[in-house]
């Protein structure tokens, strides 16, 4: 099988000296495995560069008010830079503008913020989310042989990253006249539990469907749990997103046939590297693509996939 990816993979070269900058890294949430990997990458970069990494974010990925408060706290305390994964592409514009007014550069990572990289904020470091959704759609269309009924369980309104993945997925579905998307207006919500509930609430449509797509870790896991609960696991063609230990285990069992894998360690790492390079007077890219790759049971242990998700 051709390996579908949107890369490059190699880590950027680091700057040779340390200056002890304080970098606040603010995720969308702190419970999912994805964010723990981001934290690992951010702290790796901090250790190599001699920068202090302060990791803080809301517990759940629907607490916009808490994330805004965290950004405002770091703006007031005067950190040297902020690396932020905005929960909402609009609601976080004000706090980011406040940081700029205090001469605190902001690197946006993982999920877009409305505005222009290099102007409204320093840089955007993320997966090409539209391409990631296209990769998921291409694989599901291949699994279905270009025909059948499909359920798209979206993540949450206002989340730019998953919205781009969903749009990429839908653009591929429209290219296949033999495929009908029978659900595309339901949302999983911010947790695995809410995703499982949402999946159970549309289980009759899931029974009718031949294929399923979910755009992030929690929506994919919640759908798998619902499929297991109803005896449908392994009976539907299913492509999800992200690669926690749970999801990779489900891939090995055949409960999901494909996962679009981001590189969260690289994302956290390059978010911090970009901020520190700027603080040290180096020119930085306004958009940094951290890459993604399709993971299947067949290619799981190939060197290219392991370079993204580990062994």
């Amino acid at each position: 099988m051709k390996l579908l990816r949107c890369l490059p993979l190699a880590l950027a070269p680091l700057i040779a000296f340390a200056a002890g900058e304080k970098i606040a890294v603010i995720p969308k949430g702190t419970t999912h495995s994805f964010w723990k990997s981001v934290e690992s990458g951010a702290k790796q970069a901090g250790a190599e560069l001699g920068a202090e990494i302060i990791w803080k974010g809301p517990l759940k990925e629907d607490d916009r008010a808490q994330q805004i408060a965290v950004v405002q706290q770091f703006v007031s305390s005067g950190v040297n830079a902020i690396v932020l994964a905005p929960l909402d592409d609009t609601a976080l514009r004000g706090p980011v503008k406040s940081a700029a007014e205090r001469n605190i550069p902001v690197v946006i990572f993982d999920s877009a913020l409305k505005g222009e990289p290099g102007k409204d904020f320093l840089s955007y470091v993320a997966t090409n989310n539209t391409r990631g959704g296209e990769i998921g759609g291409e694989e599901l269309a291949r699994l279905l042989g270009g025909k059948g009924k499909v359920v798209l369980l979206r993540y949450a309104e206002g989340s730019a990253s998953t919205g781009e993945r969903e749009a990429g997925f839908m653009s591929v579905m429209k290219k296949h006249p033999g495929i009908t998307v029978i659900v595309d207006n339901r949302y999983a919500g911010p947790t695995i539990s809410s995703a499982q509930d949402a999946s159970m609430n549309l289980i009759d449509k899931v029974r009718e469907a031949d294929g399923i797509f979910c755009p992030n870790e929690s929506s994919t896991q919640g759908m798998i749990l619902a499929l297991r609960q109803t005896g449908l696991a392994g009976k539907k063609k299913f492509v999800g997103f992200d690669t926690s230990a749970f999801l990779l285990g489900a891939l090995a069992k055949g409960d999901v046939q494909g996962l679009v894998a981001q590189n969260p360690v690289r994302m956290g790492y390059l978010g911090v590297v970009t901020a520190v390079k700027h603080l040290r007077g180096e020119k930085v890219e306004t958009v940094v693509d951290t890459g993604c790759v399709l993971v299947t049971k067949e290619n799981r242990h190939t060197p290219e996939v392991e370079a993204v998700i580990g062994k």
Side-chain angles (χ1 to χ4, degrees):
M1 180 189 299
K2 182 180 178 182
L3 188 65
L4 297 176
R5 62 191 180 98
C6 45
L7 299 173
L9 296 173
L11 292 177
L14 290 177
I15 317 154
F17 65 91
E21 297 90 348
K22 287 187 177 181
I23 312 294
V25 183
I26 306 171
K28 286 183 174 182
T30 53
T31 55
H32 296 161
S33 298
F34 178 86
W35 300 114
K36 298 181 191 304
S37 296
V38 170
E39 180 182 11
S40 172
K43 290 185 173 178
Q44 178 189 344
E48 293 179 9
L49 292 168
E52 179 184 351
I53 304 303
I54 308 168
W55 174 264
K56 187 174 182 180
L59 183 65
K60 292 171 61 178
E61 293 185 25
D62 63 350
D63 199 340
R64 292 169 177 78
Q66 178 61 27
Q67 191 181 52
I68 289 168
V70 170
V71 176
Q72 291 171 335
Q73 173 195 334
F74 284 125
V75 170
S76 298
S77 66
V79 293
N80 297 106
I82 293 171
V83 181
L84 168 69
L87 266 172
D88 189 290
D89 61 0
T90 301
L92 272 296
R93 292 181 70 188
V96 169
K97 183 178 180 181
S98 296
E101 290 169 352
R102 295 283 293 269
N103 294 317
I104 300 172
V106 179
V107 174
I108 299 298
F109 79 98
D110 176 66
S111 192
L113 185 73
K114 288 182 179 176
E116 182 182 343
K119 179 181 177 182
D120 298 301
F121 44 90
L122 177 62
S123 182
Y124 178 47
V125 178
T127 303
N128 182 332
N129 286 299
T130 301
R131 179 59 189 143
E134 290 170 351
I135 287 173
E138 289 162 5
E139 177 63 3
L140 188 58
R142 187 193 70 80
L143 290 167
L144 293 173
K147 58 185 179 181
K149 297 178 180 179
V150 167
V151 165
L152 164 63
L153 179 62
R154 298 177 183 267
Y155 170 58
E157 294 185 81
S159 169
S161 59
T162 49
E164 289 165 4
R165 294 169 201 167
E166 293 152 10
F169 172 79
M170 289 297 293
S171 72
V172 173
M173 294 298 100
K174 290 174 183 176
K175 296 177 182 177
H176 292 273
I179 294 178
T180 303
V181 180
I182 59 173
V183 175
D184 70 352
N185 62 351
R186 303 292 287 273
Y187 290 87
T191 67
I192 294 165
S193 178
S194 67
Q196 184 176 2
D197 289 343
S199 300
M200 290 300 298
N201 287 337
L202 55 83
I203 203 66
D204 287 342
K205 288 293 187 181
V206 172
R207 289 185 194 278
E208 181 185 344
D210 304 292
I212 304 165
F213 179 71
C214 294
N216 79 325
E217 177 187 338
S218 55
S219 60
T220 303
Q221 182 166 340
M223 178 62 76
I224 290 168
L225 292 173
L227 293 174
R228 289 177 178 175
Q229 184 177 338
T230 53
L232 295 173
K235 297 179 181 179
K236 305 292 177 179
K237 303 301 183 184
F238 184 9
V239 177
F241 222 99
D242 292 326
T243 51
S244 66
F246 177 94
L247 296 184
L248 289 172
L251 183 73
K253 286 183 65 176
D255 292 346
V256 62
Q257 286 76 47
L259 296 168
V260 182
Q262 303 182 82
N263 195 332
V265 173
R266 176 180 168 83
M267 198 179 293
Y269 185 94
L270 291 182
V272 169
V273 166
T274 299
V276 174
K277 278 188 173 183
H278 172 77
L279 292 171
R280 296 180 184 179
E282 294 199 25
K283 185 178 179 180
V284 300
E285 297 294 328
T286 56
V287 177
V288 179
D289 181 1
T290 56
C292 60
V293 62
L294 176 70
V295 185
T296 66
K297 193 173 182 179
E298 292 74 26
N299 74 11
R300 165 66 183 88
H301 295 291
T302 61
E304 194 163 15
V305 169
E306 288 184 347
V308 178
I309 66 173
K311 296 184 177 181

